[in-house]
Amino acid sequence: MFSFNTMRPRQVLTQVLNFGLILSTAFMLWKGLSVIADSPSPIVVVLSGSMEPAFQRGDILLLWNRGAETQIGEVVVYNVKGKDIPIVHRVVRRFGGGDKALNLLTKGDNNLADDTELYARGQAYLDRSKDVIGSVVGYIPFVGYVTILLSEHPWLKTVMLGIMGLMVVIQRE
């Protein structure tokens, strides 16, 4: 049976530092992807069925925000003022561009109406430079379902983090 009493302080410190290294590496990878993609959130998970059949609930989307000339038919991820959950929908109309601000109207593939009801009060269109997080350039099917489960069942987060922490501390080299 494992016991902390059997581990020397140096071993405990090594395991704690290894755990910190894993966390900091994950954070640096996320920030690096953010800089490369020019997006505050370069990877998002589809949370609803509004984009079916193109994207299913639980798909992971890879975003790119370096091309500001978004075209009709392109799938974008945007934030609405006052809400913290990004929305994944397709551009159905665009206004402006060039010297003028590019405004977009979006709609979910599986929705009957456009997104004007989802936008902030008084907002008729999305401002490409302010509201859009990025355009979808790739996806990984269903891998993000773990994220959905963790957000729908908060106790799973605690269990998973506890198991991960315990594994790092127990692991011996």
Side-chain angles (χ1 to χ4, degrees), residues 12-67:
V12 172
L13 182 61
T14 301
Q15 298 301 352
V16 170
L17 288 174
N18 280 338
F19 186 64
L21 183 62
I22 290 168
L23 291 178
S24 64
T25 300
F27 179 73
M28 286 187 296
L29 284 172
W30 179 263
K31 285 300 180 186
L33 279 174
S34 294
V35 169
I36 291 168
D38 192 27
S39 174
S41 186
I43 299 171
V44 295
V45 176
V46 177
L47 298 175
S48 74
S50 68
M51 280 302 292
E52 290 178 0
F55 301 113
Q56 307 293 320
R57 189 170 191 249
D59 289 353
I60 288 183
L61 304 179
L62 309 173
L63 305 183
W64 188 258
N65 199 29
R66 295 216 176 258

Side-chain angles (χ1 to χ4, degrees), residues 30-168:
W30 179 263
K31 285 300 180 186
L33 279 174
S34 294
V35 169
I36 291 168
D38 192 27
S39 174
S41 186
I43 299 171
V44 295
V45 176
V46 177
L47 298 175
S48 74
S50 68
M51 280 302 292
E52 290 178 0
F55 301 113
Q56 307 293 320
R57 189 170 191 249
D59 289 353
I60 288 183
L61 304 179
L62 309 173
L63 305 183
W64 188 258
N65 199 29
R66 295 216 176 258
E69 284 300 316
T70 305
Q71 302 301 318
I72 293 174
E74 198 171 318
V75 178
V76 296
V77 178
Y78 65 91
N79 274 333
V80 176
K81 294 172 189 83
K83 298 179 184 175
D84 60 348
I85 297 175
I87 299 173
V88 180
H89 283 171
R90 191 175 307 276
V91 175
V92 292
R93 292 188 76 186
R94 59 177 264 154
F95 306 92
D99 294 341
K100 296 181 181 179
L102 180 59
N103 291 314
L104 307 170
L105 179 64
T106 56
K107 176 185 173 293
D109 290 356
N110 202 20
N111 293 351
L112 297 174
D114 61 39
D115 292 349
T116 50
E117 293 295 320
L118 297 176
Y119 300 158
R121 175 175 248 118
Q123 184 178 12
Y125 304 103
L126 296 174
D127 182 332
R128 173 64 176 91
S129 62
K130 295 178 185 171
D131 300 319
V132 176
I133 298 172
S135 297
V136 177
V137 293
Y139 76 103
I140 305 168
F142 300 112
V143 176
Y145 228 95
V146 173
T147 303
I148 293 172
L149 287 174
L150 290 175
S151 64
E152 289 179 354
H153 305 288
W155 61 271
L156 278 175
K157 283 183 195 175
T158 307
V159 169
M160 198 163 143
L161 285 173
I163 290 171
M164 288 171 52
L166 191 60
M167 294 300 288
V168 169

